[in-house]
Amino acid sequence: MRYAHLARYFTTRKQRSFETNFFLDADKYEVWDEIEIGVEHVSSRKFDVQKEDIVAFSQAIMDPNPLFNDEDKAKQGPWGGLIAHPLFFIAISFYCIEVGPCNWVRTPGCFNPGQLNLLYSPFRPGDVITLKVRSSDKWIKRGRHYLQYEQEFIDQTGQVKVRRWPTLILPPTRQEVNRYVELLNTLPA
C-alpha cells in the first residue's frame, strides 16, 4: 500500500482490502485516444452493501443524519431502516472499477469538470450492486481532452438505483499518463 499512513482511517473490510495506489497499474488504464465510444462493460466486482459501509461513509463525510448512521433512529424514518447517503455511489464506483473499462476515474493527471447524477432509490444494507459502464462521448475543447461515461448502479433485483454521466479531462495519450506517473512517483509516499 503506497499510502500506508492512511490505513488508520480504514474501518470496513472493503476499505482495508482496497488498493490506494492508483498508479500501480496505470500502464494498463484506458486512455483518451484509445477509447471506443458506445462500448459497454459490466464490472466483475460487485458491491455487497453492508451496514458498516453506510455508517463509515456517513462518518467520513461528517453527515450526522441518523438515516445514514443510527440504525434505531433510522427504523423510525420513512425508509424503515438505514439508507446510504445520496453520494454513496462514489464509493461503490471506486470499489467496482478495477483496471479496465472506466478506470480513467483514477487516471493520474485528470480533472473532474462535472457530472450529472440521477438518483432513483437509496442504497440499503443487503443490496448487491453491479456497475454497468458505457463510454458515451469524448471531445476536445480549448485543447483539453474530455471523456464521459454513462454508469448504471443496478441492484440484485435488476433495479437501477443510480444513473450518472461523469466527465473528466484527462491526458490524451498513454505517453502523457506515464509522464504523470513518473512525476508522482518522485514524490514522497
Side-chain angles (χ1 to χ4, degrees):
M1 179 185 301
R2 179 180 167 100
Y3 301 101
H5 62 282
L6 298 176
R8 68 177 182 224
Y9 300 109
F10 300 158
T11 60
T12 72
R13 180 183 52 79
K14 288 183 192 76
Q15 290 170 343
R16 287 188 291 273
S17 70
F18 189 76
E19 177 57 63
T20 57
N21 182 355
F22 290 172
F23 315 123
L24 190 61
D25 291 314
D27 59 322
K28 299 174 187 165
Y29 282 8
E30 288 182 308
V31 293
W32 189 91
D33 65 350
E34 297 172 8
I35 302 273
E36 292 183 46
I37 299 304
V39 176
E40 185 173 284
H41 302 275
V42 177
S43 64
S44 60
R45 188 182 231 184
K46 311 288 186 232
F47 193 101
D48 183 4
V49 180
Q50 301 292 315
K51 292 175 190 174
E52 74 172 358
D53 301 319
I54 292 172
V55 172
F57 186 86
S58 176
Q59 290 172 345
I61 63 169
M62 296 184 281
D63 192 324
N65 188 328
L67 289 176
F68 310 144
N69 57 42
D70 186 325
E71 191 170 11
D72 292 331
K73 288 184 181 176
K75 285 179 182 175
Q76 300 168 18
W79 299 99
L82 279 178
I83 62 170
H85 186 278
L87 294 178
F88 187 68
F89 63 83
I90 298 295
I92 294 173
S93 180
F94 271 84
Y95 183 82
C96 289
I97 293 170
E98 298 177 277
V99 173
C102 202
N103 62 10
W104 51 268
V105 300
R106 300 177 182 187
T107 302
C110 68
F111 302 93
N112 182 347
Q115 54 196 300
L116 171 64
N117 305 306
L118 302 176
L119 290 73
Y120 301 113
S121 178
F123 297 104
R124 305 184 60 132
D127 283 343
V128 178
I129 305 301
T130 298
L131 179 60
K132 184 167 68 170
V133 299
R134 181 180 62 81
S135 52
S136 57
D137 201 1
K138 68 179 185 178
W139 65 94
I140 300 172
K141 184 176 180 181
R142 286 180 248 148
R144 301 213 184 249
H145 293 75
Y146 291 76
L147 179 59
Q148 185 177 72
Y149 260 81
E150 178 180 357
Q151 297 180 330
E152 290 184 330
F153 297 77
I154 304 165
D155 74 8
Q156 67 281 2
T157 69
Q159 177 185 11
V160 176
K161 298 266 195 173
V162 172
R163 182 174 287 122
R164 67 187 298 252
W165 293 266
T167 302
L168 283 187
I169 300 170
L170 65 159
T173 65
R174 190 160 307 284
Q175 180 180 1
E176 281 296 300
V177 170
N178 290 337
R179 189 174 70 85
Y180 279 105
V181 171
E182 288 172 17
L183 174 66
L184 292 169
N185 282 334
T186 65
L187 301 174

